[in-house]
Amino acid sequence: MKMYGAEVSYFSGKLRSYLDWKGLDYEEVPATRDVYVHKILPNIGWLVIPVVELSDGTFLQDTTEIIRRFEAAHPSPPAIPGGPRRTLASLLLELYADEWLVLAAMHYRWNYNRDFAISEFGALSAPAMPAGEQLAIGERIAKPFAEALPALGISEATIPAIEQSYLGLLRELERHFSVHDYVLGAAPTLGDFALFGPLYAHLYRDPASGELMRQRAPAVVRWVERVRSAKDRGTHISSDEDALPATILPVLRRACSEHLPVLLDTVREIEKHAATHRERELPRAIGFHAFTLAEATGRRAVFPYTQWMLQNLCDRLQSYSGDDEQSALTFLSEIGGGDLSSLRIKSRVRRENFQLILDR
Ligand SMILES: N[C@@H](CCC(=O)N[C@@H](CS)C(=O)NCC(=O)O)C(=O)O
């Protein structure tokens, strides 16, 4: 199979590190302009990476869905080994890494590493062009990414809080990776692949961000390099246990305290949207809502996609009964995620033809 992706891309990092660890046979094809025009646009309908083309010609898009599909087809080694605690921790980290760390990743890229990112975009899109033309192409491609910052909630008012939050996360991860090789212990799991997306493609690989990470968090740098090298391909921790390293709990608490209010409000906004709109199709964003990070208050777009990821987590949580349910609920209250226990999503969304629609 082929993966159309790029070193410079967040979600390519997530999928690549998963495929490498899983030992699945694939070829990574750089997402040049030709690939976007002849492969991605006709088969997916919009411009996005990474995209997988299976050997039978089937196209897959969305790293969460692709990983779930490959896990179902090849259950061993498992990307989520163990019971409810490890499962919920993995899904929470995936949601936080995919949908919340985008603030730090995009802020640092476009406010500290802009020239590098533009030259990377240009070289990726048109590898055969001279450097000057690549820069012009890079500028054009970068424009919508750089312009997305306000919609994500990155503004003068929130930038200090975004930096404070990222540096706090780096401190917590530094403590963790000084003791453990991976998120759940001795072998890579889903949380590693998800965190690797932003922590490699943007926050390690972009030069100014890489410098910051090297200064502040050398053990995180070593983890990035360990995941990248896939040196522990195919290894996994025992599925018979459900323990979590104590040092990962502060990261999970951070994920809940920063992201959970936004997640709950997203659910409320989608409910309102569903009550006032007849069509099933959903735009990528439905209006704006306020959020708080550290001491700052900002506004960001409401993304229905975020609810789709949250549904995965809630469905898993609601599938538990008996001891597993007790263990899940205790765990969530330990990390400040108790609100998830009572959450019932009335207006569900689902993916159809690589787009999100209201499930009704
Ligand atoms: N949820 C998607 C996100 C993919 C994504 O946002 N990819 C970025 C590059 S890392 C992109 O192509 N964005 C273009 C866009 O969102 O319009 C996934 O998991 O695959």
Side-chain angles (χ1 to χ4, degrees), residues 80-92 242 316 320:
I80 306 182
R85 293 167 65 88
R86 286 181 177 169
T87 302
L88 293 176
S90 302
L91 295 177
L92 259 172
D242 199 24
R316 193 64 76 94
Y320 294 133

Side-chain angles (χ1 to χ4, degrees), residues 10-327:
Y10 203 109
F11 291 94
S12 300
K14 177 184 173 194
L15 186 57
R16 183 190 311 112
S17 61
Y18 166 77
L19 294 174
D20 286 345
W21 164 78
K22 193 82 182 179
L24 293 173
D25 193 24
Y26 73 101
E27 176 197 355
E28 182 163 346
V29 178
T32 59
R33 181 176 188 281
D34 277 359
V35 163
Y36 272 109
V37 170
H38 298 296
K39 294 285 187 182
I40 297 179
L41 199 53
N43 290 291
I44 307 298
W46 53 293
L47 300 174
V48 63
I49 53 172
V51 163
V52 163
E53 182 180 1
L54 299 178
S55 41
D56 68 359
T58 307
F59 276 77
L60 309 175
Q61 184 270 323
D62 190 81
T63 57
T64 298
E65 203 157 276
I66 294 170
I67 292 174
R68 270 205 316 213
R69 180 182 171 131
F70 287 152
E71 283 299 289
H74 313 276
S76 182
I80 306 182
R85 293 167 65 88
R86 286 181 177 169
T87 302
L88 293 176
S90 302
L91 295 177
L92 259 172
L93 283 175
E94 185 183 36
L95 180 50
Y96 178 69
D98 280 23
E99 294 291 291
W100 194 247
L101 288 185
V102 73
L103 274 86
M106 293 289 278
H107 158 58
Y108 281 98
R109 169 162 290 174
W110 296 108
N111 291 321
Y112 291 108
N113 296 276
R114 190 187 167 85
D115 293 348
F116 173 78
I118 285 172
S119 69
E120 287 283 297
F121 276 39
L124 171 69
S125 179
M129 293 268 192
E133 284 178 51
Q134 285 183 349
L135 277 187
I137 294 167
E139 285 274 4
R140 235 187 3 258
I141 304 173
K143 212 163 173 272
F145 285 93
E147 283 174 358
L149 263 53
L152 292 171
I154 304 165
S155 66
E156 286 305 314
T158 59
I159 283 173
I162 293 169
E163 295 194 355
Q164 186 187 325
S165 152
Y166 173 59
L167 296 177
L169 174 69
L170 271 191
R171 272 195 303 278
E172 289 154 5
L173 289 175
E174 180 66 11
R175 247 174 261 136
H176 178 75
F177 290 127
S178 302
V179 185
H180 297 283
D181 278 357
Y182 295 102
V183 165
L184 293 187
T189 56
L190 180 64
D192 292 284
F193 311 130
L195 286 170
F196 182 78
L199 288 170
Y200 168 66
H202 291 54
L203 296 160
Y204 165 94
R205 197 172 170 276
D206 288 356
S209 304
E211 190 49 40
L212 180 70
M213 190 186 278
R214 278 190 293 279
Q215 278 169 9
R216 302 273 183 140
V220 178
V221 169
R222 289 195 294 278
W223 165 81
V224 167
E225 290 169 354
R226 200 176 301 128
V227 174
R228 184 179 176 207
S229 72
K231 68 185 260 301
D232 292 308
R233 179 188 310 261
T235 62
H236 65 98
I237 53 178
S238 162
S239 294
D240 301 335
E241 291 163 35
D242 199 24
L244 292 171
T247 44
I248 205 65
L249 296 178
V251 177
L252 292 163
R253 289 197 188 99
R254 175 179 295 282
C256 287
S257 78
E258 292 181 358
H259 202 189
L260 191 50
V262 173
L263 296 173
L264 298 175
D265 203 50
T266 301
V267 170
R268 285 190 287 270
E269 289 297 325
I270 293 176
E271 234 170 74
K272 279 196 241 161
H273 177 94
T276 50
H277 291 73
R278 291 169 59 91
E279 65 281 5
R280 293 192 319 156
E281 290 69 29
L282 281 164
R284 287 185 74 182
I286 50 161
F288 278 78
H289 57 172
F291 72 100
T292 318
L293 183 61
E295 304 294 298
T297 303
R299 273 166 60 76
R300 72 193 308 266
V302 179
F303 298 104
Y305 177 83
T306 305
Q307 179 179 300
W308 179 79
M309 284 196 74
L310 177 64
Q311 285 173 195
N312 299 333
L313 191 152
C314 291
D315 290 350
R316 193 64 76 94
L317 175 58
Q318 281 154 28
S319 73
Y320 294 133
S321 58
D323 288 349
D324 279 354
E325 183 182 7
Q326 247 340 297
S327 166

